[in-house]
Amino acid sequence: MNWLTDFIRPRIRSIVGEQKEMPDNLWQKCPSCDGMLFHRDLEENLNVCYHCNHHLRITVKQRLKIIFDDSEYTRIELPAVAHDPLKFKDRKKYAERLKEAQSKTGLKEAITLALGTIGGQKAVIAAFNFSFMGGSMGAGVGESLIKAAQTAVKEKAALIVIPASGGARMQEGMLSLLQMPRSIIAVEMVKDEHLPYIVLLTDPTTGGVSASFAMVGDVHIAEPGATIGFAGRRVIEETVREILPANFQTAEYLQEHGMVDMVVSRRELAETLGRLLNIFMQALSAAPENDNTQDNAKGGKALTSKKAGKKDVKSSTKVLAKTAISQIKAVQKAAGDFQDAKKKPTAKKAN
Amino acid sequence: MSQLEFEKPILEMESKIAELRHVSNGSTINIADEIGRMQSKAQKLLQTAYSKLTAAQKVQVARHPERPHFLDYVAGLITDFTPLSGDRNFADDQALIGGIGRFEGRSCVIMGQEKGHDTDSRIHHNFGMARPEGYRKAQRLMAMASQFQMPIITLVDTAGAYPGKGAEERGQSEAIAKSIEKCLRTDVPIITVVIGEGGSGGAIAIAVADRVYMLEHSIYSVISPEGCASILWRDGAFAGEAAEALRLTAQDLHGLNLIDGIIAEPLGGAHRHKEETIRDVGVQIAKALKDLTPWSGQDLIKKRREKFLSYGRAL
């Protein structure tokens, strides 16, 4: 600080008038490369920095528009739950925080449910809103995941969950912890029917959310650079007292360590999801009719449907091969993933 | 014995009694009356202290280092206990121990977190904070239980899953998630008792059971009161308030219908009466086992699901 900044600059300002800040809704800085991003260009680029390919967070609305065919989908109403059964209060009442989040976002809860088609295949998407209390999972979110699963079963649709969440909503105490098994039960409902369950891990997926439904998908897709992990980076640094690698707990790091099948950029997301769903769903439709009861799903019929499924993947690969050479590789790779994923029901039978 | 702040007057009284006893042994003066009076006074002090423990005090009791730990229960309740090691993938985790043995003559699988009882054993057991290997060993043991149709007893006592670099690299989240999934798919009875601290995901990973009981002075929470205070109050000093707000005591959770029952502890807590506590835990497990034995594997899975789905719906 010197006379220049302390004295001269304020004087000049008082003469010229306060410099106008650029309206922040027009331009923003990329948090990764500091490049300036014009809002319209950024939106057109699906909220991906056009200088460095950094994936900025995206609203659920934008996300659904990108993924669903023709950007069309039906919203599924969220189930009603008892909010704030603990009457939790920290420096502020949880009930107030909840209301604030609702009026800030115009949403009822930290999750949105939608039904539509992706690559021509029916799918239910449950997408977390990070701007709603950090996307935290309480009874409202857990119950919504159950409803999403039930809808997927009813519609014979795939279930895609897109977490963007710091973890459990601690203002709901034990009730929020119980959403971990509850959300996994939701997934079980879908798996019982042999419907595909795909997780799209977005920034961030941590804590109780990562340690439940987010890690039991048939396929795990992650967005580039997304933070995914159980414990927070700071907690770990304090515990182990060592500097963690820069890419620690990123999507790429998780893929390297075998927890994520693929890291897919936002531009290729819809195509990837569509391809996966088509492979899975074609396998299912080629399978001999099975009456979809829980007991049957574990019996011999499931085994035959599995075999038939494999055959179908091969034939569908052939069909697609005609269209483009590049697609062959992709489908074969996905078919490999598919066969891996399909091993799961076998493991289940061993129980 | 390690001291808890609110127990100080009681401990002082107890040491006075011990002193008097020592004196009376060496002399002819009869001070039995005096000792008797002091004992009943100490008893009253205990009663008043333990009849109105605050949530923060319960947290202290639940974490009391002298409380019986997993291995104490195994020694007291399980015959022929045979610990089994390793997740068959990477390593063995001594924070989460398990094995096979007999409970009241019946073959069973038992597992739980062990905190250790002195510096060496605490380090050996990583203070009861399991790594992914621990949760993968748990899954392996659950599969074994199913294979041989043995019921599963899990005893929960952990501050939480270990937050470390290696644990993250090897998929702590996935290990916990799969452990919960395994609990839900297992076709034998699962009985859980929270014997001390039920710390978040690291606890619930082995606690998705047909029956979940808590010892009277144990706690079960989504986050430690200290962690909650530092996030929501931005100051760890508010841990007492956080403990209250989180409703983490056995009494709170039973009131919310989120657990199946409370196992009473002898007056003055489990750390004063280890054997009695262990015996009472055994009695409760035996009762639950008797209830669950007639159920078929598919019924168990179905009812376990329904039970967890019902949580929170009636609130």
Side-chain angles (χ1 to χ4, degrees):
Chain A
M1 288 286 157
N2 54 32
W3 64 276
L4 250 177
T5 57
D6 290 348
F7 184 69
I8 301 292
R9 196 183 283 169
R11 283 293 297 273
I12 295 173
R13 271 202 192 141
S14 69
I15 297 164
V16 200
E18 195 66 39
Q19 194 190 351
K20 264 195 183 163
E21 289 278 335
M22 253 181 293
D24 36 298
N25 54 347
L26 284 186
W27 286 91
Q28 76 179 87
K29 239 186 199 175
C30 169
S32 172
C33 73
D34 282 349
M36 293 306 284
L37 301 164
F38 187 58
H39 75 114
R40 219 171 290 150
D41 299 340
L42 187 61
E43 208 183 300
E44 244 164 58
N45 206 36
L46 315 178
N47 258 33
V48 177
C49 172
Y50 41 84
H51 306 298
C52 73
N53 201 35
H54 176 75
H55 282 55
L56 285 82
R57 283 191 188 133
I58 189 172
T59 65
V60 168
K61 239 187 193 163
Q62 282 173 291
R63 167 88 60 199
L64 297 179
K65 264 169 125 183
I66 291 171
I67 296 178
F68 279 121
D69 294 345
D70 307 320
S71 301
E72 276 174 18
Y73 57 87
T74 328
R75 286 274 291 270
I76 304 166
E77 208 186 318
L78 300 185
V81 293
H83 281 300
D84 196 19
L86 307 191
K87 305 268 172 280
F88 191 96
K89 185 175 175 243
D90 48 85
R91 288 171 308 152
K92 207 189 255 177
K93 280 183 184 157
Y94 169 46
E96 274 172 36
R97 284 183 196 267
L98 206 55
K99 261 188 209 143
E100 269 170 33
Q102 284 167 339
S103 64
K104 191 185 98 188
T105 58
L107 298 161
K108 218 168 109 192
E109 249 300 346
I111 195 165
T112 301
L113 307 182
L115 173 70
T117 61
I118 303 167
Q121 299 292 346
K122 258 196 203 174
V124 173
I125 292 186
F128 281 63
N129 306 289
F130 186 73
S131 53
F132 191 108
M133 295 189 79
S136 54
M137 176 164 71
V141 168
E143 201 64 43
S144 300
L145 286 170
I146 292 164
K147 182 161 184 190
Q150 286 167 336
T151 312
V153 169
K154 203 176 94 195
E155 299 280 339
K156 294 198 183 353
L159 176 63
I160 299 171
V161 181
I162 310 176
S165 168
R169 187 172 297 166
M170 64 190 121
Q171 291 92 339
E172 292 188 20
M174 186 62 194
L175 205 56
S176 68
L177 187 66
L178 284 166
Q179 303 313 315
M180 291 172 69
R182 292 181 95 236
S183 68
I184 292 184
I185 294 171
V187 173
E188 295 283 280
M189 293 173 180
V190 175
K191 288 187 178 176
D192 279 350
E193 302 299 319
H194 292 254
L195 293 164
Y197 168 53
I198 296 173
V199 187
L200 170 60
L201 301 145
T202 68
D203 190 57
T205 301
T206 57
V209 163
S210 80
S212 57
F213 67 87
M215 278 293 152
V216 294
D218 293 318
V219 177
H220 296 169
I221 304 175
E223 274 209 325
T227 298
I228 305 158
F230 179 65
R233 194 189 173 99
R234 232 180 314 146
V235 177
I236 298 169
E237 272 172 341
E238 277 164 25
T239 316
V240 298
R241 293 183 196 287
E242 61 175 297
I243 309 281
L244 299 164
N247 70 341
F248 186 66
Q249 294 185 325
T250 59
E252 295 75 11
Y253 177 93
L254 260 88
Q255 187 183 22
E256 215 172 278
H257 286 87
M259 289 299 147
V260 159
D261 290 286
M262 52 188 109
V263 178
V264 177
S265 85
R266 212 167 273 160
R267 250 157 292 167
E268 288 153 19
L269 199 53
E271 187 274 331
T272 308
L273 284 169
R275 171 162 30 91
L276 287 169
L277 292 190
N278 269 294
I279 295 169
F280 285 132
M281 294 307 238
Q282 277 175 18
L284 284 175
S285 62
E289 199 51 48
N290 94 41
D291 39 320
N292 273 346
T293 59
Q294 260 192 38
D295 296 354
N296 239 327
K298 291 193 173 177
K301 279 190 183 172
L303 198 72
T304 44
S305 79
K306 207 181 103 192
K307 277 182 193 158
K310 273 185 194 171
K311 230 188 258 169
D312 195 78
V313 173
K314 278 181 198 153
S315 68
S316 79
T317 308
K318 272 181 206 161
V319 175
L320 286 164
K322 286 175 194 164
T323 56
I325 295 170
S326 68
Q327 279 192 348
I328 298 178
K329 283 180 189 159
V331 172
Q332 278 172 342
K333 185 173 164 281
D337 290 339
F338 158 76
Q339 277 162 18
D340 280 347
K342 263 292 182 183
K343 278 178 190 156
K344 277 182 186 162
T346 330
K348 196 165 134 193
K349 253 173 269 140
N351 279 351
Chain B
M1 187 181 264
S2 319
Q3 293 198 352
L4 301 181
E5 195 55 40
F6 72 91
E7 280 194 342
K8 264 190 184 149
I10 302 160
L11 292 173
E12 269 165 29
M13 186 70 80
E14 280 172 348
S15 77
K16 260 187 209 160
I17 295 169
E19 221 172 88
L20 276 177
R21 276 221 179 95
H22 185 72
V23 172
S24 72
N25 282 344
S27 75
T28 50
I29 318 161
N30 189 358
I31 45 174
D33 284 359
E34 181 61 19
I35 292 177
R37 228 176 299 135
M38 285 181 80
Q39 265 175 333
S40 71
K41 204 174 163 195
Q43 197 73 4
K44 255 181 214 151
L45 277 176
L46 259 184
Q47 218 146 22
T48 39
Y50 271 82
S51 64
K52 48 172 193 193
L53 288 183
T54 63
Q57 286 168 337
K58 289 249 185 197
V59 173
Q60 290 180 318
V61 178
R63 291 175 181 165
H64 198 292
E66 306 279 323
R67 248 179 119 75
H69 289 154
F70 176 78
L71 287 174
D72 298 313
Y73 286 92
V74 168
L77 299 175
I78 308 292
T79 53
D80 284 343
F81 177 63
T82 311
L84 299 171
S85 306
D87 67 345
R88 299 294 187 269
N89 279 306
F90 177 76
D92 182 46
D93 187 352
Q94 278 294 312
L96 204 165
I97 313 177
I100 52 176
R102 275 182 241 277
F103 173 77
E104 299 199 335
R106 181 169 172 189
S107 301
C108 72
V109 164
I110 183 162
M111 64 178 93
Q113 297 94 349
E114 168 62 48
K115 284 186 169 178
H117 54 85
D118 56 22
T119 308
D120 283 347
S121 63
R122 276 180 205 127
I123 292 169
H124 178 66
H125 294 294
N126 198 30
F127 303 86
M129 293 186 285
R131 298 181 165 93
E133 299 78 69
Y135 297 110
R136 295 194 175 116
K137 176 165 68 184
Q139 293 164 45
R140 194 192 131 215
L141 292 176
M142 287 186 231
M144 179 181 286
S146 172
Q147 172 83 355
F148 295 95
Q149 290 294 298
M150 296 184 274
I152 300 169
I153 300 164
T154 74
L155 303 179
V156 171
D157 192 14
T158 182
Y162 185 65
K165 180 169 173 266
E168 294 289 323
E169 277 172 354
R170 299 191 295 279
Q172 186 73 285
S173 295
E174 194 263 3
I176 292 172
K178 282 283 165 66
S179 190
I180 294 172
E181 189 184 61
K182 193 77 190 163
C183 286
L184 285 165
R185 286 180 179 180
T186 298
D187 60 356
V188 294
I190 308 177
I191 297 157
T192 293
V193 183
V194 181
I195 55 173
E197 207 178 354
S200 195
I204 206 163
I206 58 165
V208 184
D210 303 301
R211 295 279 187 274
V212 179
Y213 302 104
M214 287 177 73
L215 272 177
E216 187 182 347
H217 304 308
S218 66
I219 56 167
Y220 197 176
S221 179
V222 65
I223 186 169
S224 72
E226 294 81 1
C228 179
S230 77
I231 296 171
L232 290 182
W233 278 265
R234 295 177 202 282
D235 185 353
F238 285 89
E241 282 82 347
E244 208 70 55
L246 282 166
R247 310 275 297 270
L248 44 63
T249 69
Q251 293 69 30
D252 284 333
L253 297 174
H254 195 237
L256 290 164
N257 277 322
L258 301 179
I259 57 167
D260 297 296
I262 299 174
I263 303 171
E265 290 182 34
L267 181 64
H271 54 287
R272 280 201 173 69
H273 310 273
K274 285 194 187 186
E275 278 172 27
E276 221 177 313
T277 307
I278 292 169
R279 195 195 58 210
D280 291 348
V281 166
V283 169
Q284 186 61 63
I285 293 173
K287 246 189 235 164
L289 208 49
K290 205 177 148 204
D291 288 350
L292 295 170
T293 300
W295 294 10
S296 76
Q298 287 313 310
D299 273 355
L300 283 167
I301 291 174
K302 197 171 151 241
K303 288 191 180 170
R304 200 179 299 138
R305 267 194 197 185
E306 281 165 5
K307 173 181 136 108
F308 276 82
L309 282 179
S310 77
Y311 283 147
R313 279 186 176 161
L315 292 173

